[in-house]
Amino acid sequence: VHMTTNSTLQMAEFDKEAAKNASTFAHDGFGNATLKRLFKKIVNIGFAATNDSEQLKAISNLEADLTGIYSKGKVCLESKGCLQLEPGLTDIITNSRSYEELLAVWKGWRDASGKLMRTKYTDFVKAMNAAIKFSGFNDTGEYWRSWYETPTFEQDVRTLFEELEPLYVELHAYVRKRLKEKYGKDMFPETGHIPAHLFGNMWAQQWSNIYDLLVPFPGASSVDITAKMKEQNYNVTHMYRVAEDFFMSIGMEKMTDAFWQNSMLVKPTDRDVVCHASAWDFYDENDFRIKQCTSVTEDQLLTVHHEMGHIVYYQNYKHLPRLFRRGANPGFHEGMADIVSLSFQTPEHMKVIGLLDEVPQDSDSDINFLLKMALDKVAFLPFGYLIDQWRWSVFRGDTNSSNYNQHWWDLRCRFQGISSPVKRTEEDFDPGAKYHIPGNTPYIRYFVSFVVQFQWHEALCREAGNTRPLHRCDIYNNTNAGNKLREMLRMGSSKPWQDAMEAITGQRTMSAKPLVNYFDPLLKWLKEQNKEENTGWSASCPSSIPTPSALAAGSANLFISITCFVLCVFFAFFQIR
């Protein structure tokens, strides 16, 4: 913490000195648009503008405290001992199909993480809001939104979400129906919500881990990619080489020697670390790293491609001045990290790399594939949208420590159609159970990325001359597509994001249409499946929470046992007398 605080203060002093020097120039009158943009970034120094070094110390120390709580959180289970989030709790939430075990893990993680952060998070928000006012922003949320350089950004993302919501509603209805078949309809509130612990993911943000419960056509061709990887003796290094091969096949640079020497690709055995995967640019044009507790699974192979996508972006803009070495906007970096997954996950690509024996051509297999993709790409949309709706409200002061948790669940019930499986109060702080809250990472970037990656995929497939449906396009080995992508990547943030978008798609706006088009065959199928369903849910959270039947039965059996015991003792007593 001490080293982090010192580094923060030193960086702040550097930024402040640079801003002071840049302010001596009348840069608003510069004729060179790129130079004018660079000077604007130099003088906009965010939190560093504060004249109170104690505020910066507080921000740095509190963030370290919050992430420390997250990284050290453990849940002790009677049958499995004490487990951290990775890999122990994640393995259970991913693979267990026991309602009660999932509930214990879900609640246990929130008790061990978010619940311990509440007071510190309140102080954290106050410190950030106080510091950011010196840069001319009303609150931290306004500062974060300024990175998108769009005055209507808040309304723009709301419009995108509303365009995508009908697809999510149909997916939600189908998943709810199948989960009711698994766990019993009595476990689901009458409001139409789904209990949050049943999705195979600690935060119910993506649902592909429960694909086995949802697969539309079990008899259609399918393959267990994880089993195939293990059958072929995949190890962690090979997973990264497979990802590197994809990017090199479209003309991108290979990973540097420094990448292989300095990255943390497996979890250390000698210390606690935050296992949340991340990519790092050390700004020397050579030292790029990934930090990930990698294991040999299909899901982790996708994460490897995601993080390496960030590295490829770093490599492409490494020639630019430091302040331009960023994505065109924060969502672009995440979109770049994900775009390759739209090619990588196709059956065509899986066959090319030897993880699939034959490419299925029947419509049943196609629906299976699209549903699995939707469980990641569509299921995520409301979660990606709502996290910063909550956080912006906190930064504005509309939500405070008296209603942190209530507003969190109001948003999750309203937008995701999920509800808490147990009673929550203001003693809890469930937002803190998600890394990006204590880690202070803005989240709307992920929602943006899930929209723009489909725009880019459509454009790159067009550039590659693809003739297959969009969801079966693979740009592997196509340097035409790679060149088009590189044109955007090399711009970094030296131009407004609209210019970068135009370079790859020919458009200057974000659009939900390519995502909707990608899943159109699935949407038609879902509507047919949901004909007898009441799609949608109440905007408000359920007023009562169903009790697991096993627990209820257990309570009833306990009551009967105690009653029998008392009666037996009673009669025995009188018999002895």
Side-chain angles (χ1 to χ4, degrees):
V1 173
H2 179 67
M3 289 179 63
T4 302
T5 302
N6 283 343
S7 299
T8 299
L9 294 176
Q10 289 170 7
M11 191 65 187
E13 285 303 313
F14 175 85
D15 287 343
K16 196 175 292 186
E17 185 69 19
K20 180 181 176 182
N21 293 337
S23 296
T24 64
F25 294 86
H27 52 84
D28 284 341
F30 286 176
N32 185 305
T34 301
L35 191 61
K36 184 177 180 178
R37 182 174 178 81
L38 182 59
F39 267 70
K40 182 181 177 181
K41 288 181 176 289
I42 293 172
V43 299
N44 184 6
I45 58 176
F47 300 115
T50 179
N51 61 8
D52 184 356
S53 63
E54 292 303 314
Q55 283 180 341
L56 290 178
K57 286 182 183 178
I59 291 170
S60 181
N61 289 337
L62 285 165
E63 184 174 340
D65 289 346
L66 290 166
T67 55
I69 291 170
Y70 189 94
S71 67
K72 295 174 183 175
K74 291 183 179 180
V75 177
C76 297
L77 303 171
E78 186 176 347
S79 59
K80 293 182 170 65
C82 296
L83 304 173
Q84 289 186 297
L85 179 63
E86 299 285 355
L89 299 177
T90 298
D91 284 347
I92 296 173
I93 210 82
T94 297
N95 299 307
S96 176
R97 298 296 180 257
S98 162
Y99 190 101
E100 291 78 12
E101 183 177 40
L102 291 169
L103 182 58
V105 169
W106 186 93
K107 182 179 184 299
W109 174 243
R110 282 150 182 78
D111 288 346
S113 57
K115 196 169 188 175
L116 306 180
M117 300 175 189
R118 189 183 184 88
T119 300
K120 286 184 182 294
Y121 190 75
T122 301
D123 294 339
F124 190 39
V125 169
K126 289 178 180 176
M128 287 192 293
N129 274 350
I132 204 61
K133 291 184 186 299
F134 286 89
S135 280
F137 296 98
N138 291 315
D139 60 66
T140 303
E142 183 181 343
Y143 170 54
W144 286 359
R145 291 190 298 277
S146 74
W147 302 342
Y148 292 87
E149 303 179 281
T150 309
T152 58
F153 177 69
E154 219 170 336
Q155 179 57 50
D156 292 346
V157 292
R158 183 180 298 117
T159 300
L160 288 169
F161 178 73
E162 289 170 353
E163 291 174 4
L164 295 165
E165 194 171 22
L167 174 58
Y168 177 81
V169 168
E170 295 292 341
L171 178 66
H172 177 281
Y174 174 77
V175 170
R176 182 180 60 199
K177 178 176 68 174
R178 297 299 294 268
L179 289 179
K180 281 183 177 181
E181 293 171 2
K182 168 65 179 176
Y183 294 105
K185 64 180 182 180
D186 292 342
M187 290 296 93
F188 292 74
E190 296 180 356
T191 52
H193 298 91
I194 304 174
H197 64 308
L198 300 179
F199 293 96
N201 178 278
M202 187 62 82
W203 310 278
Q205 67 183 63
Q206 289 167 304
W207 308 344
S208 57
N209 288 329
I210 57 167
Y211 175 71
D212 61 299
L213 300 178
L214 311 173
V215 56
F217 299 103
S221 60
S222 63
V223 64
D224 185 337
I225 298 299
T226 298
K228 272 282 189 182
M229 290 168 66
K230 292 180 178 178
E231 177 186 312
Q232 296 180 22
N233 296 317
Y234 265 60
N235 58 31
V236 168
T237 301
H238 185 59
M239 292 166 68
Y240 285 87
R241 291 295 186 186
V242 168
E244 180 186 43
D245 172 68
F246 189 103
F247 289 109
M248 290 178 65
S249 82
I250 60 173
M252 302 300 172
E253 294 180 36
K254 67 177 183 179
M255 296 296 103
T256 64
D257 291 341
F259 170 85
W260 298 108
Q261 293 165 5
N262 299 329
S263 292
M264 188 199 87
L265 304 182
V266 295
K267 184 176 182 179
T269 58
D270 59 345
R271 65 188 187 278
D272 291 330
V273 296
V274 175
C275 275
H276 182 84
S278 55
W280 299 77
D281 181 359
F282 285 81
Y283 292 96
D284 68 353
E285 303 184 27
N286 182 62
D287 191 355
F288 310 105
R289 308 180 194 180
I290 288 175
K291 178 176 72 68
Q292 183 176 341
C293 302
T294 318
S295 55
V296 181
T297 67
E298 178 185 8
D299 184 58
Q300 287 277 289
L301 185 59
L302 288 174
T303 304
V304 167
H305 282 75
H306 176 96
E307 299 305 333
M308 194 170 286
H310 284 302
I311 302 294
V312 170
Y313 211 155
Y314 298 154
Q315 289 176 320
N316 273 280
Y317 59 54
K318 66 184 179 183
H319 62 287
L320 296 172
R322 181 177 68 87
L323 291 179
F324 286 159
R325 294 187 201 177
R326 299 171 184 169
N329 71 39
F332 273 49
H333 230 299
E334 295 303 328
M336 169 55 198
D338 264 355
I339 187 174
V340 71
S341 72
L342 298 178
S343 287
F344 176 78
Q345 289 179 270
T346 61
E348 286 76 8
H349 188 77
M350 287 295 173
K351 185 177 190 304
V352 167
I353 63 173
L355 292 177
L356 188 63
D357 296 328
E358 295 295 334
V359 176
Q361 301 296 339
D362 59 292
S363 60
D364 288 359
S365 297
D366 216 35
I367 292 297
N368 281 354
F369 170 73
L370 278 170
L371 181 77
K372 191 171 184 181
M373 291 295 290
L375 295 175
D376 271 339
K377 302 296 185 181
V378 178
F380 177 81
L381 294 170
F383 185 80
Y385 176 71
L386 72 84
I387 282 194
D388 277 351
Q389 299 301 315
W390 178 84
R391 201 156 30 181
W392 294 342
S393 177
V394 171
F395 289 143
R396 285 188 182 114
D398 297 335
T399 299
N400 56 49
S401 58
S402 70
N403 63 341
Y404 278 158
N405 228 41
Q406 178 185 331
H407 188 51
W408 174 256
W409 281 105
D410 285 347
L411 290 170
R412 299 203 75 184
C413 290
R414 176 185 170 190
F415 290 118
Q416 274 190 286
I418 72 169
S419 57
S420 171
V422 291
K423 184 178 180 181
R424 311 310 283 159
T425 71
E426 290 305 325
E427 291 184 5
D428 301 302
F429 184 60
D430 294 332
K434 176 63 179 171
Y435 171 76
H436 298 71
I437 300 297
N440 205 38
T441 304
Y443 210 78
I444 197 68
R445 62 182 62 181
Y446 299 102
F447 175 79
V448 169
S449 79
F450 272 53
V451 173
V452 300
Q453 66 186 255
F454 284 89
Q455 282 185 265
W456 300 344
H457 183 61
E458 182 181 70
L460 295 181
C461 288
R462 185 166 57 244
E463 189 71 20
N466 173 65
T467 57
R468 293 191 292 261
L470 188 58
H471 63 276
R472 299 294 288 267
C473 169
D474 176 17
I475 64 168
Y476 182 70
N477 270 334
N478 193 289
T479 54
N480 288 338
N483 290 337
K484 176 67 73 172
L485 180 60
R486 187 187 299 106
E487 184 180 351
M488 180 198 75
L489 300 180
R490 286 182 59 81
M491 295 168 70
S493 63
S494 65
K495 303 282 186 183
W497 69 262
Q498 292 88 345
D499 290 4
M501 177 68 81
E502 188 173 23
I504 190 171
T505 68
Q507 301 173 319
R508 296 184 62 83
T509 58
M510 294 184 286
S511 171
K513 289 180 181 178
L515 192 158
V516 173
N517 291 341
Y518 181 100
F519 287 107
D520 184 61
L522 177 67
L523 178 59
K524 292 174 180 173
W525 183 84
L526 287 172
K527 285 181 176 180
E528 188 67 27
Q529 301 304 305
N530 294 334
K531 274 185 177 179
E532 306 300 322
E533 293 294 306
N534 291 320
T535 59
W537 53 85
S538 169
S540 302
C541 292
S543 56
S544 60
I545 298 172
T547 304
S549 56
L551 296 181
S555 298
N557 290 337
L558 179 62
F559 174 78
I560 294 170
S561 298
I562 292 173
T563 303
C564 290
F565 176 76
V566 171
L567 289 174
C568 288
V569 170
F570 178 79
F571 285 119
F573 174 76
F574 280 100
Q575 189 173 14
I576 291 171
R577 287 191 65 187

